[in-house]
């Protein structure tokens, strides 16, 4: 059995998580995944129940699980709580606890949805890129750091194991996809870039089936706009990944379409990129696509059943052809769209 810890969270979190759970349960029925679900409080809901966003029962549930499916957290109700117990602090603690050092953000323009992209349809067509961002190292965490009246400083530093492990996650992901990996750095200016490139090249020897290329980050920013469909998996450092994943996230044209995964030493985490959308919470209007695609990533990366992940993705793409929620210009509610996915999945 695979234990899934379910953390619905706040706002539209519970609505989109319910939708993703229905899809996972149907996939379990069809493909025999052997799933067991247990729900825990997290974020604002946990602040209300326990006075903290990541209480002990949730921490234990996450540690004992094979994967975490998270909805969304936070909202105006908890905006004024002290920083140590903010909903977002709970998410940082979960990532740290579980050693989640790789963040995976796919951006895909689905067939028939090219018109949602801000790019010309002929450029947007076929975009299916996965950004793998190093999440726990690099300049956001490097010491020394500080600021005085006269100057401010941060440190960009990566160790060999830090680069190797995120590179392996990226090569593994590429091996499950179109077998192409682009490593992004600034090797022409930064020693860390040169070291990153050399280390990724060494790891490449373990994955002869994956084609590797290197790009400088400035050129990559241009390529992601001018010919985004050329890329499969992209691996990069924390700060470059922060920027490039946000750049790539606008390609599909709606926040409601973007899933994510965080992988590392402990229990992997799967969650939509969007927030708790308090403006539409509780109305049955939320687009559950990002949550459902996060469940597809769970099947691919936590259960190692990429064929099931792909089947969920295909069913979602099929549903989007006929049934769309308001953020995509349609008038379907969460339940109607979810039913369309379930129907497509059942074939
Ligand atoms: P956070 O800071 O938590 O990311 P935010 O307010 O910046 O929150 P979201 O909560 O993601 O961002 O919402 C941004 C806008 O997008 C809102 O108007 C919201 O209604 C809309 N939105 C976000 N997710 C969805 C979704 N799944 N379906 C429909 N609309 C959504």
């Amino acid at each position: 059995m695979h234990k899934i810890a379910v953390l619905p969270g706040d706002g539209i979190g519970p609505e989109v998580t319910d939708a993703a759970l229905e899809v996972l349960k149907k996939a379990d029925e069809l493909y025999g995944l052997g799933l067991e679900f247990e729900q825990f409080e997290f974020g604002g809901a946990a602040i209300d129940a326990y006075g903290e966003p990541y209480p002990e029962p949730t921490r234990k549930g996450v540690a004992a699980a094979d994967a975490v499916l998270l909805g969304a957290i936070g909202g105006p109700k908890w905006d004024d709580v002290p920083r140590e117990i903010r909903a977002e602090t709970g998410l940082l603690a979960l990532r740290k606890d579980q050693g989640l050092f790789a963040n995976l953000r796919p951006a895909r323009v689905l067939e028939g949805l090219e018109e949602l992209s801000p790019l010309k349809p002929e450029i947007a067509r076929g975009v299916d890129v996965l950004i793998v961002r190093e999440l726990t190292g690099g300049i956001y965490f490097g010491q020394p750091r500080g600021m005085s009246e006269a100057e401010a400083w941060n440190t960009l530093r990566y160790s060999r194991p830090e680069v190797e492990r995120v590179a392996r996650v990226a090569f593994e992901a590429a091996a499950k996809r179109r077998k192409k990996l682009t490593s992004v750095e600034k090797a022409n200016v930064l020693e860390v870039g040169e070291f990153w490139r050399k280390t990724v090249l060494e790891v490449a020897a373990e994955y002869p089936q994956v084609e590797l290329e290197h790009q400088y980050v400035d050129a990559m920013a241009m390529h992601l706009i001018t010919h985004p469909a050329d890329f499969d998996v992209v691996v990069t450092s924390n700060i470059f990944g922060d920027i490039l994943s946000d750049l790539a996230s606008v390609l599909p044209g709606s926040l409601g379409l973007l899933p994510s995964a965080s992988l590392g030493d402990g229990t992997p985490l799967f969650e939509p990129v969007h927030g708790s959308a308090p403006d539409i919470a509780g109305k049955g209007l939320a687009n559950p696509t990002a949550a459902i695609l996060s469940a597809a990533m769970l099947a691919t990366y936590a259960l190692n059943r990429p064929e099931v992940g792909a089947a969920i993705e295909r069913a979602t793409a099929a549903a989007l052809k006929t049934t769309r929620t308001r953020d995509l210009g349609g008038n379907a509610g969460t339940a109607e769209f979810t039913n369309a996915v379930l129907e497509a999945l059942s074939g």
Side-chain angles (χ1 to χ4, degrees):
M1 288 306 269
H2 298 284
K3 273 193 196 167
I4 313 295
V6 180
L7 278 43
D10 313 311
I12 60 168
E15 300 165 57
V16 298
T17 305
D18 275 354
L21 278 180
E22 278 191 62
V23 172
L24 267 184
K25 283 176 184 164
K26 176 59 75 180
D28 193 6
E29 240 174 78
L30 294 168
Y31 298 96
L33 301 174
L35 301 181
E36 216 170 65
F37 299 96
E38 197 174 350
Q39 195 164 311
F40 300 94
E41 312 271 16
F42 191 59
I47 297 175
D48 288 349
Y50 296 89
E52 50 177 318
Y54 189 32
E56 196 52 30
T58 308
R59 219 176 260 268
K60 282 194 178 141
V62 166
D66 297 300
V68 176
L69 186 67
L70 171 67
I73 52 162
K77 184 175 172 198
W78 305 280
D79 273 355
D80 298 326
V81 302
R83 177 181 281 276
E84 4 20 297
I85 61 156
R86 280 183 69 94
E88 295 75 15
T89 309
L91 192 53
L92 291 177
L94 190 161
R95 286 197 184 128
K96 184 152 187 269
D97 257 16
Q98 297 306 318
L100 302 180
F101 56 78
N103 188 232
L104 279 63
R105 295 248 307 244
R108 195 161 167 214
V109 176
L110 295 168
E111 204 192 322
L113 287 183
E114 292 86 358
E115 83 274 12
L116 290 176
S117 175
L119 299 183
K120 289 180 189 146
E122 62 270 26
I123 294 179
R125 189 160 300 127
V127 168
D128 185 2
V129 57
L130 172 68
I131 311 268
V132 179
R133 165 188 174 191
E134 200 289 324
L135 202 58
T136 54
I139 198 162
Y140 291 171
F141 295 95
Q143 295 290 346
R145 61 190 296 160
M147 184 166 63
S148 71
E149 263 314 297
E151 57 182 348
W153 57 97
N154 291 94
T155 302
L156 174 58
R157 179 186 289 259
Y158 269 111
S159 69
R160 182 178 297 277
E162 278 179 309
V163 181
E164 283 174 351
R165 65 188 188 175
V166 74
R168 284 201 180 94
V169 167
F171 275 110
E172 296 283 344
K176 288 185 175 131
R177 293 170 44 108
R178 301 196 307 280
K179 302 185 175 47
K180 186 175 165 199
L181 178 63
T182 305
S183 171
V184 175
E185 25 61 8
K186 191 71 184 162
N188 50 345
V189 179
L190 300 172
E191 284 78 2
V192 172
E194 210 180 310
F195 180 83
W196 179 281
R197 182 178 286 220
K198 192 169 90 66
T199 308
V200 171
L201 200 55
E202 281 165 18
V203 175
E206 297 165 30
Y207 300 90
Q209 75 276 37
V210 177
E211 179 199 338
L212 172 68
E213 66 162 10
H214 307 273
Q215 291 281 352
Y216 298 138
V217 65
D218 44 345
M220 189 63 191
M222 286 196 286
H223 296 328
L224 274 174
I225 297 297
T226 54
H227 47 97
D230 283 5
F231 298 97
D232 179 15
V233 180
V234 175
V235 64
T236 192
S237 59
N238 201 341
I239 186 167
F240 293 161
D242 190 5
I243 298 163
L244 291 181
S245 62
D246 264 20
L247 191 158
S249 75
V250 303
L251 301 176
S254 168
L255 253 185
L257 297 174
L258 301 168
S260 81
S262 299
L263 312 181
D265 302 320
T267 311
L269 167 71
F270 301 86
E271 56 173 328
V273 167
H274 63 71
S276 61
D279 51 331
I280 55 164
K283 297 182 178 157
L285 297 175
N287 182 354
T289 301
I292 292 171
L293 293 177
S294 299
M297 292 187 86
L298 188 156
T300 298
Y301 296 102
L303 310 177
N304 203 20
R305 295 287 299 269
E307 81 286 7
V308 178
I312 297 174
E313 283 170 14
R314 275 196 308 275
T316 310
L320 282 166
K321 282 193 180 152
T322 58
T323 314
R324 294 188 193 170
T325 45
R326 287 211 204 164
D327 54 309
L328 302 179
N331 52 20
T334 313
E336 193 184 333
F337 180 74
T338 308
N339 285 334
V341 176
L342 292 171
E343 242 169 65
L345 190 60
S346 304

